[in-house]
Amino acid sequence: MNVPTKNQPPLENTLIHPVSMNVEHLRADFPILKHSIHGKPMVYLDNAASSQMPQQVIDRLTHYQAHEHANIHRGVHTLSQNATIEYENARLKVMNFIGAKEAREIIFTRGTTEGINLVMHGYGRRFIGEGDEIIISAMEHHSNIVPWQMLCEEKKARLRIIPMNDAGELLLDEYAKLFNKNTKFVALTHVSNALGTINPVRGMIATAHQHGVPVLLDGAQAAPHIAVNIQDLDCDFYAFSSHKMCGPTGVGILYGKTPLLEKMQPYQGGGDMILNVTFERTTYNDIPHKFEAGTPAIAAGIGLGAAIDYLTAIGLDNIAAYEHALLEYATQAARNIPGLKIIGTAQHKAAVLSFILDGIHPHDIGTLLDQEGIAVRAGHHCAQPVMQRFGIPATARASFAFYNTFAEVDALIAGIHSVKKVFA
Amino acid sequence: MSDPRALYQEVILDHNKKPRNFGVLENANRHAEGHNPVCGDHITLHVKIDGEEVSGISFEGQSCAICKASASMMTGQVKGKTVAEAETLIQEFREMATGKLDVHAQPHHLGRLTVFAGVSELPSRVKCAILPWHTLHAAFKELDNTSTEKDF
């Protein structure tokens, strides 16, 4: 196998004291982190939008394109067979990464959004009808709202919303009350991109299952930051994206339980998803291929495999502990800034710091921080209902990854002070 | 402009802090709403047109400093002008903000509005500066609603 291994041993001291993870060592793997923006060292704090890629993944992509590329699942020639093996090997890595039982439960998509749309189409349009109800939460990304709205409109079904408190935590009692005989599906984010909240999904899934209702989790913000075991969670579907976990754009993952995937209708028709085609009748391929019409993003899939190797070598528990320490440090410092309000103060949070400043619009914050070399997201974070819930047009959001440092948090805090000075 | 921070200069910050012609305008006969879906800028313009003249104008809404200052200065500039003169300003402002008009080299009527020239170097913020002007154009055309999305 040609997958390059990480060029450094696992960090010795990480297991003893995760906060002392050798971040400088890891940062050296990321060429882009050496860049300057406006003459200042780049401080990349927009990881919830997309993460950066280590050299190991870049090398894997280059190696594939230079030496291994051919179409997969169809050639009898050596190159095609090897490309197929590498691509399917990436599927196995995903399977192990989230603790799935079988490789066929792993469907490659274009990203989280496509994964959710696939379930809406394949499961929702087949099994949800007039008068049925779908439960989502008040903190969903648009990608886990709009597909279900489209389904509700088409089928005359009804969307029910789990409310949240001012800290950005879902109200579990209200959630339990939403279930009735018409409830047919729950679609819920594992970690909120706008607030950072880590939802208590294990219990919420159990609640849904008591009513015989399947649950889809949007794992885009969870998979890169906390260890996910889908068998432990017992979720029915889990969708996430490669580009938020150090992999390439253009590939995502949808996990689904085998019995559900088997009874779903295909999402797109085309090559690769069929067993036999005549003009009278087509027999669909087995899962996962039934849902993978056309030539996929082969290089991106293999690159994702390399990203999983990279993250696994560091250890998701180490990553989670380190990022939590970063968040605590940033939260503490941000709280000391007069006029700053943190949006999203749940007890259990991923490393997302969403905030507003008195009298300063988040877009002005974003532009001025950029002048200091600091990249944050400013806007509604594709979660307009969250902004409406808090009565604000937008927030500025710093989102951390394991390659961020405490010094970068200091730079952010200094940057916020200089923004305030401009508007003073 | 080498340092886009220069955009956040005194005059813009001042208009952001103390916007002129902010609020509802009694007897306005044109209204238009503009919003920038990407960043959430949202303004409403109230315009009073007497014959050919823009005799009154005010704005309301929630927006970033660039948008609010642009709206504030716009109201000051177009009040008392004819609709045709205001349309010329709209055109010139758009060209300046998108980098098509070099205010130092080419003739124009923008006056103090040239403080916004630097926005052309901040592609993600061009829409913020232009939104009030789009909305004014919509008010003249009696369109209810405008969005900078349509033009990019």
Side-chain angles (χ1 to χ4, degrees), chain A residues 38 40 359 361 363-365 367-368 371-372 378-380 384 391 393-394 422-424, chain B residues 3-5 8 13 16-17 37-41 62-66 122 124-125 128:
Chain A
H38 304 303
K40 308 269 175 62
H361 192 279
H363 271 85
D364 298 315
I365 300 171
T367 295
L368 287 165
Q371 300 312 311
E372 305 292 331
H380 52 58
Q384 287 179 335
V422 170
F423 279 85
Chain B
D3 182 358
R5 252 173 308 189
Y8 288 88
L13 293 170
N16 175 56
K17 213 172 199 171
V38 177
C39 64
D41 286 340
Q62 218 178 11
S63 63
C64 65
I66 306 294
L122 298 170
S124 63
R125 306 302 302 279
C128 308

Side-chain angles (χ1 to χ4, degrees), chain A residues 43-51 375-378 397-400 404:
Chain A
V43 176
Y44 186 77
L45 302 178
D46 196 17
N47 295 286
S50 201
S51 56
V376 299
R377 172 96 185 256
R397 179 189 70 185
S399 53
F400 304 96
N404 289 127

Side-chain angles (χ1 to χ4, degrees), chain A residues 223-285:
Chain A
H225 303 290
I226 54 178
V228 172
N229 184 302
I230 48 91
Q231 287 193 66
D232 176 54
L233 296 175
D234 197 26
C235 62
D236 301 278
F237 299 101
Y238 198 91
F240 58 112
S241 295
S242 153
H243 74 95
K244 294 192 199 290
M245 46 190 285
C246 300
T249 53
V251 65
I253 301 94
L254 173 69
Y255 158 85
K257 284 181 179 168
T258 298
L260 289 171
L261 293 178
E262 283 185 330
K263 65 181 190 178
M264 281 160 59
Q265 60 185 358
Y267 175 51
Q268 293 183 327
D272 236 23
M273 55 77 73
I274 51 84
L275 279 181
N276 188 46
V277 176
T278 65
F279 285 118
E280 288 71 38
R281 184 182 156 71
T282 290
T283 314
Y284 300 132
N285 204 338

Side-chain angles (χ1 to χ4, degrees), chain A residues 22-67:
Chain A
N22 191 342
V23 176
E24 287 309 321
H25 201 136
L26 294 172
R27 286 178 70 83
D29 289 334
F30 291 78
I32 205 167
L33 297 180
K34 299 176 183 78
H35 279 232
S36 293
I37 302 278
H38 304 303
K40 308 269 175 62
M42 181 176 78
V43 176
Y44 186 77
L45 302 178
D46 196 17
N47 295 286
S50 201
S51 56
Q52 300 299 348
M53 191 184 279
Q55 193 63 49
Q56 287 86 337
V57 177
I58 297 169
D59 288 347
R60 187 68 193 90
L61 293 173
T62 310
H63 183 82
Y64 171 78
Q65 293 297 169
H67 304 289

